[in-house]
Amino acid sequence: MWICELRVWHEHSRVLELTRDLNVTILSSYLSLYKKGRQTFINKVFSVNGPDAREYIKRMCEGHSRYEVHYVEGNYVFFSIPLDPHTISYHALVFDNETFFIRPFVLKGGFEYWTVASWNKKALTSVCEKTKRTGKKTTVELLSLKQMPVDLFVPDALQRLGEVQMRVLREALDQGYYGYPRGISLKGLGKKLGLSPATIREHLRKAEAKILPAAVSQLARR
């Protein structure tokens, strides 16, 4: 799979402009499409983090003709955007059936950071050219472009665990081994599972070696 990272700015995005004024980092994901009457909407969620997160959410909820905030829970903001020729998503203008996000895109410091993938290298390089034809003021900087394997779903990595590795990892989680402070020691886990501490350690390390690369691959640029 070909993967590229892009830094993007485009005009008329209030949620993006706010990140220039406030110290926040936002992870943005699409959730669904739905219809209300004859109008189609995009459902999205923001995970807002940083010193100014509360202020950002407050300003976002103050009301805007384009964004309708439905619900706020902790640092998550659930909202919708109407999908029509006048307010169509910027991403829909530059993506096609060969390009797609493989992780949430990031809003920070007045820019969006995209991690986009395709099986077609040319489809990715054409993204930058398409932005010039959107009719919007925009800038796109290509940060990286490389071919590499990618784990799209962390659950896929879990399927690679052996039966004993899965059992040991699940018990470690249930007993608070990864908590702070630890809820149980390797020796305690060993007693519960009938295995030596050294064997428990080996199974956990092998399980972590399979899961962590998949989890880290989902981390968006911070």
Side-chain angles (χ1 to χ4, degrees):
M1 192 73 68
W2 285 96
I3 312 254
C4 77
E5 293 185 320
L6 302 166
R7 185 168 73 169
V8 181
W9 171 85
H10 56 93
E11 64 176 346
H12 304 321
S13 173
R14 179 172 178 265
V15 292
L16 185 58
E17 290 171 358
L18 283 175
T19 68
R20 183 183 56 203
D21 302 326
L22 299 172
N23 185 5
V24 293
T25 298
I26 297 169
L27 303 184
S28 175
S29 293
Y30 288 98
L31 297 178
S32 65
L33 293 175
Y34 71 94
K35 290 185 73 70
K36 187 175 181 180
R38 295 186 176 182
Q39 179 69 66
T40 300
F41 294 83
I42 302 173
N43 257 338
K44 298 183 70 176
V45 61
F46 277 2
S47 173
V48 186
N49 300 280
D52 297 330
R54 293 296 97 200
E55 179 63 22
Y56 184 96
I57 293 173
K58 176 185 174 183
R59 294 192 194 182
M60 189 175 176
C61 292
E62 286 175 349
H64 187 271
S65 60
R66 189 179 178 206
Y67 306 98
E68 182 180 358
V69 175
H70 300 294
Y71 184 66
V72 176
E73 182 174 298
N75 65 328
Y76 291 107
V77 182
F78 297 85
F79 64 101
S80 61
I81 306 172
L83 184 62
D84 60 48
H86 302 292
T87 59
I88 189 168
S89 169
Y90 177 77
H91 310 116
L93 298 175
V94 297
F95 280 17
D96 57 27
N97 63 331
E98 293 185 312
T99 53
F100 46 90
F101 289 115
I102 60 168
R103 64 192 63 160
F105 62 92
V106 178
L107 289 75
K108 182 177 182 180
F111 292 94
E112 291 182 4
Y113 293 88
W114 300 358
T115 303
V116 185
S118 178
W119 49 87
N120 182 353
K121 181 180 180 181
K122 187 175 180 181
L124 292 180
T125 57
S126 68
V127 168
C128 296
E129 290 301 317
K130 287 181 182 178
T131 61
K132 300 174 183 178
R133 302 194 294 269
T134 62
K136 297 177 177 284
K137 291 181 180 178
T138 181
T139 61
V140 177
E141 180 184 356
L142 180 63
L143 301 178
S144 69
L145 175 62
K146 53 191 173 184
Q147 191 173 26
M148 59 183 293
V150 61
D151 287 299
L152 292 178
F153 305 107
V154 173
D156 284 346
L158 292 174
Q159 299 305 312
R160 301 177 198 144
L161 298 183
E163 183 178 343
V164 178
Q165 289 174 6
M166 178 67 81
R167 182 162 62 93
V168 171
L169 180 62
R170 189 183 300 278
E171 189 69 21
L173 288 169
D174 290 345
Q175 298 298 326
Y177 176 76
Y178 290 103
Y180 183 81
R182 288 193 192 280
I184 194 170
S185 65
L186 287 173
K187 185 177 180 180
L189 280 173
K191 286 183 178 180
K192 285 184 172 293
L193 294 169
L195 300 170
S196 71
T199 301
I200 293 290
R201 182 186 295 109
E202 180 181 0
H203 283 308
L204 288 178
R205 285 182 175 175
K206 287 181 177 179
E208 292 162 359
K210 293 177 180 178
I211 295 172
L212 288 176
V216 171
S217 74
Q218 297 300 303
L219 293 177
R221 178 181 291 270
R222 295 293 185 109

